[in-house]
Structures are given as structure tokens and as C-alpha cells.
Amino acid sequence: MRVKVIEKEVMDPLGETAADKIEVMPVPSKINKISYFDNTKPNADVILAAIDESLDINGKKVEKPAGAGATEEQLKDAADADVSIIAVGDCGSCSTWVILDAIRLEKEGTPTISICSDNFMDYGRSLAKSHGADDLRIVEIKHPISGQKEENVREKAAETIKEIKKLLNIN
């Protein structure tokens, strides 16, 4: 069988922008409440529950749709905490909205930690950078997430939790 391969140059859809730099909010030294911002992707709730269980900090659950941006009300609800942890980016549209919603929260003064699968980390970082948020906190979880058994997702979340604790200055 013969296959004809044609290479073409394509434009990076993220491109270079003249976007203003977004100051990523510092994580407060004392955290009283964390919002766990669930984008309703399969197993995002499992990841966030594992994080919540591992931290001795009051948490509140907030949900948003996976393939769309959060509403103003959902953002306001997530911002009613010292830090918001957003999960999970494991495909194109959900990764996009995890990052864009994190940027929106950061602009309003709420520090965030976004969770993306390793297959979408480069994209997430590029997207954040294209919007001026070069230093956005994004942590990695091993792909795939959807379609996995809960115990497998919790195992994958264990490494992510270690990184989140570092970002939150928790031993």
C-alpha cells in the first residue's frame, strides 16, 4: 500500500499576541478555604475529591460545563475561596476552558491551580502564554482520565497532589 505524505505549513491557532501580561495571584500563606472547580469531565470529581481528602483545608465544590466557559455566577462561586483548583483538562475543548476560566479567576484576584493531563500540558501552557498568563499554575496528571476506574484515577492523582501541596506551601 502506498501513502502519499504532504507536508504543509499551518498557522498556530494560538499565535503571537500583544496581550497584556496577567499577574498570577500569589498563593496566600494562610488558606482557609479552597474551591474545587469541577468541569464535569468523567473522573474530574474523583481527582478533586482525592485532593480535598489529602488537604486539611475547608473545601467547597463548584461545577461548570466541560466544553464551555464558566458563567459569571459559577466564577463568583469559585472565587469565594482563597484558592481555586480546576479539573480536568484531558481533551482540546475542556483543556481550553480549564485554562481560560483560571485566567478569568486570576484576573479577578483568585489564585488558581489548573489540572491538565500530560497529553495537553504543552497546549495548556501555550494557551496561557498566548493570553499573557505565562506563570499560570498548571499541574500534570497522567493521561488518560476518562474511562478509567476510580482506583486508577486516584493513583494518578497521587503525584498531582504532591505538586499541588508544593504550590500551596503545604508539607
Side-chain angles (χ1 to χ4, degrees):
M1 180 165 125
R2 291 182 168 244
V3 176
K4 185 175 181 180
V5 177
I6 300 173
E7 290 186 29
K8 293 185 178 188
E9 276 191 40
V10 295
M11 183 180 290
D12 181 348
L14 299 176
E16 299 271 335
T17 67
D20 291 333
K21 293 295 178 196
I22 295 168
E23 182 181 340
V24 173
M25 301 281 74
V27 172
S29 58
K30 175 86 169 120
I31 300 170
N32 296 310
K33 187 185 338 182
I34 294 176
S35 67
Y36 295 99
F37 209 176
D38 179 350
N39 71 346
T40 65
K41 286 287 293 194
N43 289 321
D45 59 337
V46 173
I47 296 165
L48 293 171
I51 296 166
D52 187 18
E53 292 162 11
S54 74
L55 303 177
D56 189 23
I57 299 172
N58 184 29
K60 81 181 272 182
K61 297 175 184 172
V62 180
E63 286 189 353
K64 66 174 251 35
T71 65
E72 291 303 318
E73 187 175 316
Q74 291 163 336
L75 286 171
K76 184 178 177 183
D77 202 15
D80 182 31
D82 300 309
V83 175
S84 185
I85 300 175
I86 310 168
V88 61
D90 72 340
C91 73
S93 61
C94 63
S95 297
T96 298
W97 286 109
V98 163
I99 300 304
L100 294 179
D101 287 337
I103 290 170
R104 291 168 67 196
L105 284 167
E106 292 281 351
K107 283 181 177 179
E108 296 300 319
T110 302
T112 63
I113 298 173
S114 301
I115 302 171
C116 288
S117 74
D118 54 354
N119 284 6
F120 289 88
M121 283 296 290
D122 289 342
Y123 170 72
R125 287 189 181 114
S126 293
L127 180 61
K129 185 176 181 180
S130 75
H131 283 268
D134 299 26
D135 299 325
L136 193 70
R137 287 175 288 273
I138 308 171
V139 296
E140 181 176 301
I141 191 164
K142 184 97 172 107
H143 194 82
I145 304 301
S146 295
Q148 301 296 299
K149 292 183 179 180
E150 182 173 338
E151 59 269 18
N152 294 345
V153 175
R154 284 182 171 272
E155 286 175 20
K156 292 178 182 191
E159 287 302 311
T160 302
I161 291 167
K162 289 178 188 175
E163 184 63 25
I164 288 170
K165 285 182 174 183
K166 286 180 193 173
L167 292 171
L168 297 176
N169 299 312
I170 298 172
N171 296 330

